[in-house]
Amino acid sequence: MPSSPFSLLSLCATFFILLLAATIIANNIVEGAYIKDYNFVKAIDVAIMEMLEDEEYRAGYLNFGLIYPIPECGIETLDTDFYDKYPSQFPFTTTSKTSTAVINLCYENDTNPPWAEIHEFVGRKLVEKLNKRYKLNLKPNFQIMDTSKLGYFDTLKQAVDTGYCDVSVASTNYEASRAHLVKSQCAYGSTSPGFLRSSLDPSLQITTIKDLNQSGIKVAVLSNTIYEKLALKYLQGATLIPIASGYTAVFEAVEKRQVHAILSDVFDLYNWLKRNKEKCGVNCYSKGFDSPFTFATFVTTNFSGMTSGSSAKSCIFVNVKSLFYLFVMLLVVILLI
């Protein structure tokens, strides 16, 4: 028991400081990270799985001219009953300031046709599945992200990590280096990398990706994408020109004959060239290379409430500033005692 007013004051001060420290940690434990409930993530996973078996989705996929197949997603049969695969509740609170409940879905700006339409088609089908299962009336709200500052992938990752959007519906290429950075769903499509030859220096014989790997050859890519990584892998001898602002600037480099080639999705290159053959010139052509790959939606890896046995990652982030405050407060407590 304290034997003096000073000791009593010290005890009260210690209690107050510890209470304040606990409050700061509680208020800042998710500062800088938007935490989703695991059941939200699981519901998105199952809704995408169900969408991939939807005949309307499959028909729409083909109508867009996507020539590579829809990847398998571990579904045994086409008549799988998905109802019991969903979590019983959908823990989602809309950020809408209106009476209409919306779910925010994002993709990159400056896409080439028909990618914006494909992204929104996927988003609408996703919401359709969620509404049907949970008897909701959610509306998709599409957020078009400016990728010029951070690049394609980092922009979309930041959007889901901060809660600016709930799901990225962009056709993000799945690769191992991204597996721990975002939580991808089953791939909703596939394609192949390719290159588009411009009309710059038409006398140069360029027929394969290897022909681009030589001094004096200029190749443009959209920065922060899988194509930039492929360029660094295959074209170490060429001059690489990463462009962050978007595909409009990438294709302008072809039109203005500033580069000998660009790397992108072969479907994208084919469609652009079909619409712009006259601008590009008679020497332009597109060609695929390397192995096909898949693309998918994704959500943040910052989620809680994960059931035991799940292989998914649950993250809790403590703000560094809060830890510093706590350290100072504990130091004061020690001095008072």
Side-chain angles (χ1 to χ4, degrees):
M1 294 293 292
S3 59
S4 69
F6 180 76
S7 297
L8 181 60
L9 181 62
S10 297
L11 183 61
C12 291
T14 300
F15 174 77
F16 175 75
I17 290 172
L18 289 175
L19 180 63
L20 183 61
T23 302
I24 289 176
I25 292 299
N27 288 337
N28 289 278
I29 189 117
V30 296
E31 184 172 312
Y34 189 76
I35 306 298
K36 287 288 191 184
D37 190 291
Y38 174 66
N39 282 331
F40 170 86
V41 176
K42 185 177 179 182
I44 299 299
D45 287 350
V46 178
I48 291 294
M49 291 169 64
E50 185 176 11
M51 180 194 77
L52 295 177
E53 299 303 316
D54 188 319
E55 290 301 324
E56 286 187 9
Y57 173 76
R58 289 175 169 267
Y61 181 90
L62 294 175
N63 287 339
F64 283 118
L66 292 162
I67 58 175
Y68 286 81
I70 298 173
E72 294 297 324
C73 189
I75 307 300
E76 293 83 2
T77 62
L78 291 178
D79 59 352
T80 298
D81 183 4
F82 287 93
Y83 187 88
D84 292 333
K85 296 181 182 295
Y86 284 94
S88 59
Q89 295 182 337
F90 184 54
F92 175 72
T93 302
T94 181
T95 57
S96 173
K97 296 180 180 180
T98 68
S99 58
T100 303
V102 302
I103 182 169
N104 293 314
L105 310 173
C106 57
Y107 62 89
E108 77 278 20
N109 67 340
D110 201 27
T111 60
N112 279 305
W115 282 112
E117 293 89 342
I118 293 173
H119 298 153
E120 296 197 5
F121 173 64
V122 169
R124 289 192 301 271
K125 296 301 290 183
L126 167 62
V127 175
E128 175 187 300
K129 298 305 178 187
L130 294 172
N131 284 338
K132 178 182 176 182
R133 171 59 181 85
Y134 295 106
K135 295 180 173 56
L136 301 172
N137 190 31
L138 286 175
K139 303 295 182 184
N141 180 44
F142 294 101
Q143 304 279 8
I144 315 303
M145 308 302 299
D146 180 2
T147 63
S148 60
K149 292 182 180 179
L150 299 179
Y152 169 83
F153 179 73
D154 288 345
T155 298
L156 295 171
K157 180 182 182 302
Q158 183 186 71
V160 296
D161 282 346
T162 59
Y164 185 79
C165 80
D166 300 298
V167 185
S168 169
V169 293
S171 50
T172 302
N173 308 133
Y174 178 83
E175 57 174 343
S177 65
R178 293 173 174 173
H180 68 291
L181 300 175
V182 296
K183 171 65 175 69
S184 297
Q185 284 67 56
C186 284
Y188 68 81
S190 62
T191 187
S192 173
F195 68 87
L196 172 63
R197 171 71 165 102
S198 76
S199 291
L200 177 63
D201 296 332
S203 61
L204 289 175
Q205 295 298 313
I206 298 175
T207 57
T208 68
I209 190 70
K210 291 181 179 180
D211 294 332
L212 292 171
N213 188 30
Q214 54 182 301
S215 177
I217 297 294
K218 299 177 182 178
V219 180
V221 292
L222 186 64
S223 62
N224 199 222
T225 62
I226 191 173
Y227 307 108
E228 184 176 22
K229 292 184 177 182
L230 288 171
L232 292 171
K233 175 182 177 181
Y234 286 106
L235 305 177
Q236 297 178 11
T239 300
L240 302 183
I241 305 175
I243 297 175
S245 58
Y247 271 114
T248 296
V250 174
F251 282 104
E252 280 181 353
V254 172
E255 291 180 26
K256 295 177 180 179
R257 304 184 184 185
Q258 296 171 338
V259 297
H260 294 90
I262 62 174
L263 302 190
S264 186
D265 156 41
V266 70
F267 170 73
D268 213 9
L269 299 175
Y270 171 79
N271 277 298
W272 183 88
L273 187 57
K274 187 168 62 173
R275 298 190 310 271
N276 297 278
K277 183 65 177 177
E278 187 174 339
K279 290 182 181 179
C280 196
V282 295
N283 295 299
C284 287
Y285 69 92
S286 62
K287 191 173 185 179
F289 71 94
D290 208 56
S291 303
F293 53 77
T294 61
F295 49 82
T297 61
F298 67 79
V299 298
T300 182
T301 56
N302 306 331
F303 51 85
S304 62
M306 180 179 61
T307 56
S308 63
S310 173
S311 60
K313 183 177 75 171
S314 177
C315 302
I316 296 180
F317 292 85
V318 178
N319 186 271
V320 174
K321 182 173 65 176
S322 300
L323 288 177
F324 173 74
Y325 289 156
L326 180 60
F327 172 76
V328 172
M329 289 177 183
L330 290 178
L331 184 61
V332 172
V333 168
I334 291 171
L335 293 175
L336 286 174
I337 294 174

